[in-house]
């Protein structure tokens, strides 16, 4: 069965997609746009953090709608993305600010505790936020998340070209090869947006599915500054995540050009600091397992969070 047909078959097993309610809140001097599915009794809400740096929450909705049937799902636009306010001093933007925003958002929304899911760069935001807010984050899910250090980043262009050529996507490879990734060290939004569109087919294991997928359009100047800074300066969050204590599920597509070894290193680092971390490789999937490996992806997350729901509802020992 093709990737597309597997995804359609999985979706046919689901109830209708819940509707989202928008709520704007003030946090850290900025207005943030948030979206909420209906609350579910007995389950903590799950806040979902999209990646991409240039994009809004639409990357994850309705893709993550299957999670909203067992718990409330909360999405939001990061500062300067989508419908959230642009921060002052955009040129100083950095991903660490996004992590601090997520902590402040929980308080602004009046939520005592929640679970957290981060995809791609959103996984980096989520890791840091969970470390900053250990009492507020019960469990953490990392989906094809970036690494704790930036060692993986310089080789991504070459890995993407290799993947595109190996899967017969010669035109896509030629388009990507025509762009020097060093230009991304400057915060030119048009350049960053063009590159992300050219790179997009490389994120998929299945080239046929990739050909049907529509690349998102990067619109955030703030995100371009964050991305350029990460590429210029690199990063190492080892010290920042030292306080992370939330049990963590690490999901990763085996065929992602962001290597599975990055996820393995994350699990090792978390385990070394006493975190209960487990790795779930997803075969037949690239960077977006909620499409290419939907059934095992959602099953693993629901089992991980449902076990915590049962523990949370259990009566205290006499």
């Amino acid at each position: 069965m093709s990737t597309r047909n597997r995804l359609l078959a999985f979706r046919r097993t689901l109830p209708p997609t819940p509707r989202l309610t928008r709520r704007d809140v003030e946090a850290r001097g900025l207005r943030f746009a948030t979206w909420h599915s209906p609350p579910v009794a007995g389950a903590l809400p799950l806040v979902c953090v999209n990646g991409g740096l240039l994009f809004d929450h639409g990357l994850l909705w309705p893709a993550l709608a299957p999670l909203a049937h067992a718990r409330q799902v909360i999405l939001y636009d990061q500062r300067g993305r989508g419908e959230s306010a642009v921060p002052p001093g955009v040129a100083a933007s950095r991903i660490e600010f996004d992590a601090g925003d997520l902590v402040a958002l929980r308080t602004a929304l009046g939520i005592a505790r929640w679970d957290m899911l981060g995809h791609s760069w959103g996984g980096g935001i989520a890791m840091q936020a969970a470390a900053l807010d250990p009492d507020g984050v019960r469990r953490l899910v990392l989906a094809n998340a970036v690494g704790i250090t930036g060692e993986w980043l310089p080789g991504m262009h070459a890995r993407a070209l290799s993947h595109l050529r190996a899967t017969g996507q010669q035109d896509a490879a030629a388009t990507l090869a025509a762009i020097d990734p060093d230009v991304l060290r400057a915060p030119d939004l048009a350049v960053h947006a063009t590159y992300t569109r050219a790179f997009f087919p490389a994120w998929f294991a299945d080239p046929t599915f990739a050909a049907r997928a529509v690349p998102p359009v990067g619109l955030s100047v703030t995100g371009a500054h964050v991305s350029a800074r990460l590429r210029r300066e690199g990063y190492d969050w080892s010290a920042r995540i030292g306080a992370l204590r939330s049990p963590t599920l690490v999901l990763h597509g085996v065929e992602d050009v962001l290597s599975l070894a990055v996820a393995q290193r994350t699990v090792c680092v978390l385990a070394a600091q006493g975190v209960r971390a487990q790795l779930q490789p997803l075969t037949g999937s690239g960077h977006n397992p909620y499409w290419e490996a939907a059934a095992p992806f959602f099953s693993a997350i629901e089992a991980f969070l449902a076990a915590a729901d049962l523990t949370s509802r259990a009566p205290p020992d006499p």
Side-chain angles (χ1 to χ4, degrees), residues 25-291:
V25 295
E26 296 288 328
R28 304 181 85 192
L30 294 173
R31 176 188 50 78
F32 287 88
T34 73
W35 287 264
H36 307 243
S37 67
V40 176
L44 287 188
L46 172 68
V47 63
C48 298
V49 190
N50 66 273
L53 298 179
L54 305 182
F55 309 110
D56 64 20
H57 76 285
L59 284 186
L60 295 183
W61 190 268
L64 296 188
L67 296 172
H69 302 303
R71 63 199 66 255
Q72 182 180 47
V73 167
I74 299 173
L75 303 108
Y76 73 105
D77 289 344
Q78 295 150 26
R79 59 168 57 203
R81 286 83 154 191
E83 297 186 45
S84 289
V86 176
V90 167
S93 297
R94 52 193 317 127
I95 198 169
E96 291 82 2
F97 298 168
D98 295 313
D101 292 342
L102 192 50
V103 180
L105 269 177
R106 181 183 62 76
T107 301
L109 290 169
I111 296 172
R113 205 169 184 221
W114 57 11
D115 294 320
M116 189 176 289
L117 180 152
H119 174 250
S120 192
W121 280 111
I125 295 171
M127 277 189 278
Q128 294 179 73
L132 291 169
D133 192 24
D135 293 331
V137 180
R138 182 183 62 170
R139 289 202 167 193
L140 175 63
V141 179
L142 301 176
N144 288 74
V146 299
I148 293 170
T149 72
E151 294 175 342
W152 59 276
L153 191 53
M156 285 294 288
H157 186 81
R159 287 194 293 273
L161 288 175
S162 177
H163 172 72
L164 290 171
R165 290 164 179 157
T167 53
Q169 300 177 80
Q170 303 304 332
D171 289 346
T175 299
L176 183 62
I179 306 174
D180 181 350
D182 283 346
V183 300
L184 301 175
R185 297 166 68 89
D188 185 317
L189 174 57
V191 171
H192 280 259
T194 298
Y195 187 82
T196 58
R197 288 178 67 85
F199 198 101
F200 186 71
W203 288 127
F204 295 88
D206 182 347
T208 303
F209 192 90
R212 288 177 171 267
V214 179
V217 178
L219 298 173
S220 173
V221 173
T222 304
H225 278 279
V226 173
S227 179
R229 183 181 299 278
L230 287 162
R231 289 178 177 275
R232 283 196 312 271
E233 301 176 2
Y235 70 90
D236 184 343
W237 300 325
S238 301
R240 291 183 64 86
I241 68 161
L244 197 161
R245 293 293 177 265
S246 306
T248 302
L249 172 65
V250 179
L251 297 153
H252 207 92
V254 172
E255 297 179 55
D256 192 354
V257 293
L258 175 60
S259 171
L260 179 64
V262 173
Q264 291 168 332
R265 285 195 290 273
T266 296
V267 169
C268 288
V269 170
L270 294 181
Q273 63 188 44
V275 175
R276 285 190 290 129
Q278 61 189 81
L279 174 64
Q280 173 96 34
L282 298 168
T283 58
S285 176
H287 196 62
N288 304 297
Y290 42 76
W291 289 330

Side-chain angles (χ1 to χ4, degrees), residues 3-48:
T3 302
R4 179 174 181 271
N5 286 341
R6 282 199 308 272
L7 177 60
L8 292 175
F10 171 76
R11 286 179 172 173
R12 283 194 289 269
T13 68
L14 302 173
T17 297
R19 296 186 65 177
L20 298 180
T21 300
R22 176 169 170 168
R23 178 182 171 189
D24 288 2
V25 295
E26 296 288 328
R28 304 181 85 192
L30 294 173
R31 176 188 50 78
F32 287 88
T34 73
W35 287 264
H36 307 243
S37 67
V40 176
L44 287 188
L46 172 68
V47 63
C48 298

